[in-house]
Amino acid sequence: MTRILFIFALIVLIALGAVWLSDHPGDVRLAWGGWVVETSVIVVAVLALVFAVLVALLYRFWVWLKHSPGRIGNVFSERRRNKGLEAISSGMVAIAAGDADEARRQAVAAEKHLKGEPMTLLLAAQAAELNADDRAANIYYDRMMQRRDTEFLGLRGLINRAIRDGDIAKARSLAERAEELRPGTEWVQKHLYELALKERDWDAADQILNRMSRGKAAKSDAVRRAKAVITYERARAVQREKGDAAALPLAEQAHALDPAFVPAAVLAVTLTFAEQGNSRKLRKLIGEAWKNAPHQDLAEAIRATGSGEQADDWRRRAEEMVAPNNPDHIETHLMLARAALASHDWSVAREHLLKAGGDHPTAGILRLLAELEEEANADALAAREWILKSSVAPPDPLWICNSCGRQEDEWQSHCPACGSFNSFEWRTVDRGMHHPDALEVEVVREITAAP
Ligand SMILES: [Zn+2]
C-alpha cells in the first residue's frame, strides 16, 4: 500500500516537474575540451531520470548475483539430500531383507550424499553388522556415541554387541548410560534387568523389576514368580553373609510372593524352625506350605523340624499335621508311603504307594513297591517283578529346564546348560513334546510347507 502511494506520489512529482520545466524553458550548454553540447533543460531532466532508473536496475542485478550461488547451491543440495534419503530407505529395506551386499552399497551411497547424518551412521553401522564387519560396526557406533543426537542409538548397538560378545560388565555400564540419557526406556530396562540377573546382582534385579512392573503387569503370575525367585536368591545371599535371622524376612516374603514356589516354601520352613523352633507360627506355615507347594523337598524340610523324632513320630506327625492340608495330592501319598516304609508299617505304605501311582505308576513308585516286597515279605520274586515293570514305566518328575530340557535333581535359578533364568519346572520329561519351542518349529514348518 505504502509502495503504491510512493509510486503514485513519484509520478505526480515527475508530472509536476515536467509541467514546470515546460513553463520555464531554458538551455543547457556543456563545453568540455573541444566538445560543445547544447540542449534544453527537459532533455537533461529526462536523461537524468533514465540514468537513475538504470542505476537502480543495475543495483538490483548486483543483489541478485550476490545471492544466486546460494540459490543454485540449494537446488543441488536438495537433489543430494533426496538421493541420500533414497539410499537410506533402500538400505533399510535391504537390512530388513538380510541383503548384506545391497545394504553396504546403499550405506556407501548414503554416506556420499548425506555424510554425517544420524540415519546415515545408523545405516552404515547396521550394514556393517549384517556383513559381520565388527571393526566397521564399532567405528560407526563410536562415531554415533560422539554426537548428542545419536548417542542413544549408538548405545543400543554397542549394548547388543557387548551382550553378544558375553561382556556383561561392559553391557551393563553402557545400559546404565542409556538409562541416564532416557530414563524408563523399555528396552533399556529390559537389558538392565537381564544383565543384573546374569551377574546374579539380585538387589539390582529386584529394583529394576519393581520399577518395570509398577504398571498393569505387576499382578501377572510370571512377574510374581520372577519376584519370588529373586527374593529367594536375596534371602540365600543374606543367609550366607549374615545368618538365618537376617534372611528369614526375605524368605517369608519370597514364599508370600508365590506360595507354590517350592524352594521358597522349603527355605521359609527351615529358617522359621531355625529361628523360632517348633512354634505355632511354624505349624501354621507348614500347613499352608504343604497346601500350596507339596513336594518331596518340602516333606524333607518339614521332617527336619522334628529334631530327635523317631520314624513312628514322624509318620504320625505327617499323617495328622501335614497330610490333611492336601490329602489327595500325589506328593502327600508319597510322603506318607515313605514315612510308613521307614516305620515298617507295610500295609499303609502299600496303600499310599498304589494311590500315588494310580493307573500309570512312575518308575520311582514301582521301585518303592519293590523295596516294600523285599523288606515286608522278603519276597524277592515279587520285588523283581516291580523292578522289571519300573524299567518301562514313565519316568519320575524332575526339575526340567523349559528352554533346553536340561534335567536337575535340585532347583536352580539359572539353567547350567543354557543360562536361562527361572526356567526350571518340576515335571516329567514326556511333557517336553508339547514344549512351546517345538510348537513354534511346527508352525514354521506349516507356513513354509503351504503352497
Ligand atoms: Zn536350559
Side-chain angles (χ1 to χ4, degrees), residues 154-229:
L155 278 168
R156 184 169 199 167
L158 285 177
I159 290 167
N160 286 332
R161 292 189 69 78
I163 290 173
R164 215 174 42 212
D165 296 344
D167 192 344
I168 304 302
K170 184 180 172 194
R172 261 187 102 177
S173 79
L174 289 168
E176 271 154 19
R177 172 70 185 141
E179 173 72 8
E180 244 173 64
L181 285 179
R182 293 198 187 174
T185 308
E186 209 176 299
W187 67 263
V188 178
Q189 304 266 318
K190 199 174 148 275
H191 276 318
L192 281 171
Y193 174 63
E194 283 168 0
L195 291 167
L197 287 178
K198 276 210 169 74
E199 281 207 316
R200 314 290 200 267
D201 186 346
W202 305 112
D203 289 340
D206 186 54
Q207 280 167 21
I208 300 161
L209 183 57
N210 282 337
R211 220 183 306 149
M212 280 164 70
S213 61
R214 214 166 269 157
K216 51 187 183 270
K219 280 131 204 154
S220 89
D221 288 348
V223 171
R224 286 186 74 84
R225 166 55 66 96
K227 278 186 181 172
V229 172

Side-chain angles (χ1 to χ4, degrees), residues 333 337 349-359 361 365 369 386:
H333 290 303
R350 181 181 284 111
E351 183 194 325
H352 283 298
L353 282 175
L354 292 177
K355 276 185 183 163
D359 295 334
I365 291 172
L369 280 165
W386 287 124

